[in-house]
Amino acid sequence: MSAEIIDGKLVAAYVRSKVKEEAAAFADRYGRAPGLAVIRVGDDPASAVYVRNKMKACDEVGFFSKTLHLPADSAEDEVIAAVEELNSVISIDAFLVQLPLPKGLNEKRILSYVKREKDADAFCSLDAGHLKLGGGNILPCTPAGIMELLSYYGIQVAGRECTVVGRSDIVGRPMAALLLAADATVTIAHSRTTDLPAVTRRADILVSAVGKAGLITADMVKPGAVVIDVGMNRNAEGKLCGDVDFAGVSEVASYITPVPGGVGPMTVAMLMRNTMNAALAASDE
């Protein structure tokens, strides 16, 4: 058996095309484009690439976009002031603070100032609470993108046994919440899990979001399982790879996401979806 490849680039393009249609209709109705802003602090090279990709996606779907670039030595209150500024700008429907922040800045405190209705990443505590209760129209981008991939490929979630490896606030925990809201039976595994292979082998849908190359091997996967690889790592040769031994697991799984080209493209696509949803919600008030 050889797994079917889940093409994240294809599905992300589909999501962006739908958002582009909605953005055009929004502009016709309200006389302005939906707006997304990013606060970037410092000069982290990876962050610079991520922000450029987000701005490029905004251009593609017809959004107004803005970047506030603050120096790396900015005081915490200066970053909060930038957050408060975007909270009050009507043309900005959603925004995010690009992570990671420079050392010395309290990430949680800064994010706590983002208005919930403008929280493009759904990182604030209120969004986390609504997510656990099964509500909210702005969802964490990567987990929401995974749910979109499963839906696009017609993969049933309800009633399935799902295991999420990783318990981060950005992917692992919200991923489990979304799967649970879709009526799956969910297990969260992590570094303290006893006999991880026994836990992962139970999964009909296995999501790995740890950041450890080669963590998930073929003997850890139930035959016919759907395997979603959120990891983004470099192997010994410096090649980009995920958490999953792609070659080996492909011979066991029914569906699998590649790295790159699987989950990654969905994160920015769902950021566009979140911004569109925020614009529509604000305009309906």
Side-chain angles (χ1 to χ4, degrees):
M1 180 171 73
S2 185
E4 180 174 348
I5 307 300
I6 295 176
D7 188 343
K9 292 181 179 179
L10 173 70
V11 184
Y14 169 77
V15 171
R16 292 195 306 272
S17 71
K18 302 303 287 185
V19 171
K20 184 176 182 178
E21 292 174 5
E22 293 176 33
F26 181 93
D28 287 342
R29 181 174 180 181
Y30 297 105
R32 69 172 184 88
L36 174 69
V38 177
I39 297 173
R40 179 179 159 219
V41 185
D43 299 298
D44 179 74
S47 291
V49 172
Y50 294 147
V51 171
R52 280 200 301 272
N53 288 341
K54 290 164 185 174
M55 297 299 101
K56 182 180 177 182
C58 284
D59 290 341
E60 181 184 340
V61 301
F63 286 177
F64 164 70
S65 63
K66 179 178 182 177
T67 302
L68 295 182
H69 188 188
L70 306 180
D73 60 356
S74 296
E76 198 165 291
D77 285 344
E78 291 176 307
V79 182
I80 291 171
V83 169
E84 295 282 32
E85 175 188 338
L86 293 179
N87 279 336
S88 63
V89 177
I90 296 175
S91 61
I92 298 299
D93 298 290
F95 69 94
L96 60 95
V97 179
Q98 183 65 43
L99 303 178
L101 291 171
K103 290 182 179 179
L105 296 177
N106 187 325
E107 180 181 299
K108 287 189 175 181
R109 179 170 180 257
I110 290 169
L111 294 179
S112 73
Y113 282 85
V114 179
K115 286 177 68 173
R116 179 179 174 265
E117 56 267 34
K118 290 195 174 191
D119 183 11
D121 273 329
F123 282 171
C124 82
S125 58
L126 277 174
D127 278 311
H130 277 266
L131 181 63
K132 288 177 182 176
L133 295 172
N137 67 342
I138 298 181
L139 300 172
C141 295
T142 300
I146 291 169
M147 296 304 291
E148 188 72 26
L149 288 174
L150 295 173
S151 174
Y152 186 91
Y153 278 84
I155 296 168
Q156 180 181 330
V157 174
R160 308 293 291 279
E161 184 96 17
C162 299
T163 296
V164 179
V165 186
R167 53 180 167 177
S168 73
D169 291 334
I170 295 175
V171 180
R173 294 173 193 262
M175 185 73 252
L178 289 180
L179 289 167
L180 189 62
D183 297 323
T185 299
V186 183
T187 299
I188 301 179
H190 46 78
S191 60
R192 297 293 184 89
T193 297
T194 301
D195 198 355
L196 179 62
V199 176
T200 59
R201 276 194 296 267
R202 296 201 305 263
D204 301 307
I205 299 174
L206 175 61
V207 181
S208 184
V210 174
K212 184 176 180 181
L215 173 68
I216 305 297
T217 53
D219 63 312
M220 298 172 67
V221 177
K222 179 180 180 179
V226 176
V227 179
I228 306 294
D229 191 351
V230 190
M232 192 69 71
N233 316 294
R234 297 280 178 182
N235 61 18
E237 293 75 42
K239 185 179 178 182
L240 196 63
C241 65
D243 291 348
V244 176
D245 172 17
F246 185 84
V249 173
S250 294
E251 297 302 315
V252 180
S254 59
Y255 291 88
I256 190 170
T257 58
V259 177
V263 173
M266 295 302 298
T267 301
V268 174
M270 300 313 289
L271 178 64
M272 301 300 107
R273 165 54 58 205
N274 278 350
T275 302
M276 191 69 247
N277 287 350
L280 291 169
S283 300
D284 288 340
E285 291 177 355

